């Protein structure tokens, strides 16, 4: 029987709460939010499930040692005390990543990685007279060294490549949005597939694909070719496929429309290629349309969610551009809820609509705001009057 152990799922700034909820729904125990991370407990099968299913995790780490250290020699000794043959063959390959946040260590994370590598190499050389090699691209085992104040945590990275690399993206635009961020935004919006969804500036289609996977309960990383745990000594292939099959059986079909627009024909082509790669062409329609000339052509509640240009990479008059966004939403998309992310908070004022929610996120290194606009049918006062009338009728 597989025993429970502690794990850490890393994520992007602002998505810790979303990831914690995902983990709870999957069945994780002792879920606890940290900074860009969430810790939890589960067994080996749950570790496989977390890698396949989680939408807002960047990687799943399995800690194998935690202790206090005060200098580089302590680090070397602590890593030497781990029984590395339990995890790695003497003629295997490994790679190390390090994160250091401690006054005790003035050296950079690269030096900490090298010191850790030396400790592992020396361990095998002393014990087996041969040592595993470093392979940064395709290691058998990926090791994560984290130093926070005086605490060292050494973990095995069960994911390998970052989990934002879903395996479906074949074509990208100038500034493609990270898949984990895209999924997090869709989940923060509250969209679950029970209404229409539009990305009016869809670029290479990442937000649309993540929305469709959420709407149909398709596991986020079902298109991945490989997870790091598949190289581990204790990898259980039968268990992995049992977990994968159980997740696939929970896929459902959403019958609401998911649509993307872009004014650039090249973007439309790239989005369509990625959607086909993700096997989602029956759920998503992409059209060569300039959002500013568009109108809401679907009935019922609609979530509009997009990542407009920030002016960081594209040469545009952002104030004029954002004013046109506000005008188009206000006049052409009543009866919708619109969300957009931007790092240009000054230009955001030009939208001219009242935000009903503002969430701090990061897109790469950029500090962003993810904002919500409620676009009522008619004026806000009409909406409030209607709600009052309905409330009086119930009384």
């Amino acid at each position: 029987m597989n025993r429970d152990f502690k794990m850490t799922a890393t994520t992007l700034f602002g998505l810790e709460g979303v990831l914690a909820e995902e983990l709870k729904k999957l069945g994780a125990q002792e879920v606890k939010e940290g900074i860009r991370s969430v810790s939890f407990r589960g067994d080996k099968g749950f570790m496989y499930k977390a890698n396949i299913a989680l939408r807002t995790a960047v990687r799943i780490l399995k800690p194998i040692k935690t202790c206090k250290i005060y200098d580089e020699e302590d680090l070397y000794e602590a890593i030497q005390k781990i029984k590395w043959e339990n995890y790695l063959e003497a003629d295997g390959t490994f790679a190390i990543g390090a994160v250091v946040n401690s006054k005790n260590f003035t050296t950079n994370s690269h030096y900490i990685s090298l010191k850790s590598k030396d400790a592992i190499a020396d361990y095998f050389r002393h014990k087996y007279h041969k040592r595993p090699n470093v392979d940064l691209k395709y290691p058998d085992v990926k090791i994560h060294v984290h130093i926070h104040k005086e605490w060292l945590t050494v973990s095995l990275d069960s994911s390998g490549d970052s989990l934002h690399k879903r395996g479906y993206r074949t074509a990208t635009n100038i500034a493609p949005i990270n898949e984990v961020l895209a999924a997090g935004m869709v989940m923060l919006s509250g969209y679950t597939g029970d209404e229409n969804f539009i990305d009016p500036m869809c670029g290479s289609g990442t937000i649309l694909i993540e929305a469709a996977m959420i709407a149909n309960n398709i596991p986020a990383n079902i298109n991945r070719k490989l997870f790091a745990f598949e190289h581990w000594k204790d990898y259980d292939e039968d268990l992995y496929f049992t977990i994968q099959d159980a997740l696939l059986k929970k896929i459902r079909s959403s019958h609401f429309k998911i649509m993307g627009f872009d004014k650039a024909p090249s973007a439309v082509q790239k989005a369509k290629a990625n959607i086909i790669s993700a096997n989602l062409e029956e759920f998503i329609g992409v059209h060569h349309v300039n959002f500013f000339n568009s109108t809401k052509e679907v009935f019922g509640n609609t979530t509009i969610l997009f990542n407009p240009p920030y002016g960081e990479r594209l040469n545009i008059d952002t104030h004029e551009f954002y004013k046109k966004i506000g005008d188009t939403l206000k006049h052409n998309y009543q009866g919708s809820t619109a969300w957009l992310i931007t790092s240009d908070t000054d230009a955001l004022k030009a939208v001219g609509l009242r935000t009903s929610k503002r969430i701090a996120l990061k897109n790469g290194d950029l500090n962003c705001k993810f904002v919500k606009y409620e676009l009522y049918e008619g004026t806000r006062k009409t909406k409030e009057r209607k709600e009052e009338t309905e409330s009086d009728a119930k009384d």
Side-chain angles (χ1 to χ4, degrees):
M1 185 176 166
N2 287 317
R3 288 189 302 189
D4 281 6
F5 49 88
K6 186 179 177 182
M7 287 173 265
T8 300
T10 63
T11 189
L12 304 178
F13 171 80
L15 299 181
E16 297 90 346
V18 181
L19 177 55
E21 281 306 308
E22 275 199 274
L23 280 160
K24 287 172 189 171
K25 284 179 182 172
L26 267 190
Q29 305 298 311
E30 297 177 29
V31 176
K32 187 179 176 185
E33 290 180 41
I35 298 167
R36 297 187 187 186
S37 67
V38 180
S39 65
F40 61 98
R41 291 186 73 85
D43 61 10
K44 188 198 294 186
F46 190 84
M47 183 182 71
Y48 297 170
K49 188 201 275 191
N51 274 285
I52 301 166
L54 288 175
R55 305 182 192 284
T56 55
V58 173
R59 56 185 74 250
I60 311 296
L61 304 174
K62 179 185 180 181
I64 55 173
K65 185 178 184 73
T66 303
C67 64
K68 283 190 173 185
I69 60 169
Y70 298 94
D71 56 29
E72 282 86 353
E73 287 309 308
D74 286 350
L75 169 71
Y76 181 91
E77 284 179 25
I79 288 180
Q80 280 252 303
K81 286 176 182 171
I82 296 170
K83 291 187 175 179
W84 285 106
E85 64 270 29
N86 291 344
Y87 311 108
L88 181 61
E89 300 287 357
D91 57 357
T93 59
F94 71 103
I96 296 181
V99 175
V100 183
N101 181 10
S102 171
K103 291 176 184 172
N104 297 335
F105 293 85
T106 53
T107 51
N108 62 22
S109 57
H110 181 62
Y111 177 81
I112 296 299
S113 294
L114 291 175
K115 192 78 176 172
S116 304
K117 178 209 74 167
D118 289 344
I120 295 170
D122 292 347
Y123 175 93
F124 278 98
R125 199 181 286 115
H126 293 153
K127 203 163 184 180
Y128 299 100
H129 308 293
K130 60 180 177 176
R131 50 153 290 187
N133 289 316
V134 171
D135 183 341
L136 298 177
K137 274 198 166 180
Y138 305 108
D140 296 330
V141 177
K142 198 167 182 181
I143 298 152
H144 186 77
V145 174
H146 186 262
I147 302 171
H148 182 68
K149 295 180 180 175
E150 69 272 21
W151 284 99
L152 164 70
T153 304
V154 181
S155 304
L156 302 182
D157 180 349
S158 72
S159 305
D161 270 347
S162 166
L163 292 175
H164 84 273
K165 295 182 180 179
R166 308 285 206 222
Y168 62 69
R169 194 147 74 178
T170 60
T172 61
N173 281 355
I174 303 170
I177 197 161
N178 178 299
E179 290 86 337
V180 164
L181 178 57
M185 289 175 2
V186 174
M187 295 171 85
L188 282 168
S189 79
Y191 173 78
T192 58
D194 56 358
E195 62 183 47
N196 302 309
F197 185 95
I198 299 172
D199 178 350
M201 298 179 187
C202 72
S204 57
T206 306
I207 291 172
L208 293 170
I209 291 170
E210 294 298 325
M213 292 180 93
I214 288 166
N216 296 285
N217 205 34
I218 297 167
N221 290 300
I222 204 66
N223 293 301
R224 282 262 295 212
K225 296 287 187 287
L226 186 73
F227 297 101
F229 60 71
E230 294 178 59
H231 288 308
W232 289 7
K233 293 177 82 169
D234 69 346
Y235 174 54
D236 185 335
E237 188 176 58
D238 289 341
L239 177 61
Y240 172 75
F241 283 114
T242 300
I243 296 290
Q244 187 186 67
D245 289 347
L247 287 166
L248 289 172
K249 281 174 184 165
K250 292 181 180 175
I251 291 175
R252 57 174 183 252
S253 284
S254 169
H255 302 294
F256 289 88
K257 287 189 181 295
I258 299 175
M259 292 180 293
F261 309 149
D262 206 285
K263 68 174 186 177
S266 61
V268 172
Q269 284 179 338
K270 287 171 185 173
K272 286 181 174 178
N274 289 333
I275 290 160
I276 289 168
S277 176
N279 300 308
L280 292 169
E281 59 268 36
E282 68 179 286
F283 301 110
I284 305 169
V286 182
H287 310 282
H288 177 213
V289 173
N290 183 336
F291 170 59
F292 299 139
N293 300 329
S294 71
T295 57
K296 183 185 174 191
E297 294 181 1
V298 287
F299 292 105
N301 293 337
T302 301
T303 295
I304 301 167
L305 196 154
F306 59 119
N307 174 33
Y310 305 168
E312 294 282 336
R313 298 180 180 87
L314 298 174
N315 187 18
I316 57 171
D317 180 339
T318 50
H319 277 71
E320 178 60 27
F321 191 83
Y322 278 62
K323 182 182 182 300
K324 286 169 79 175
I325 287 175
D327 290 346
T328 306
L329 288 173
K330 183 164 54 180
H331 297 301
N332 299 356
Y333 283 88
Q334 294 179 348
S336 305
T337 304
W339 293 81
L340 66 87
I341 185 171
T342 184
S343 65
D344 195 337
T345 48
D346 193 41
L348 200 57
K349 296 168 190 169
V351 172
L353 296 168
R354 185 187 297 176
T355 56
S356 58
K357 195 173 272 189
R358 296 169 77 93
I359 299 169
L361 295 174
K362 280 182 91 78
N363 186 359
D365 295 329
L366 299 173
N367 292 316
C368 294
K369 284 284 184 283
F370 184 45
V371 298
K372 177 183 182 182
Y373 301 105
E374 294 181 41
L375 308 164
Y376 302 110
E377 297 278 8
T379 65
R380 191 185 184 98
K381 285 179 181 173
T382 307
K383 161 91 174 171
E384 287 168 355
R385 203 175 298 132
K386 184 183 175 187
E387 285 174 352
E388 283 172 16
T389 306
E390 286 172 355
S391 176
D392 290 344
K394 284 177 186 173
D395 293 344

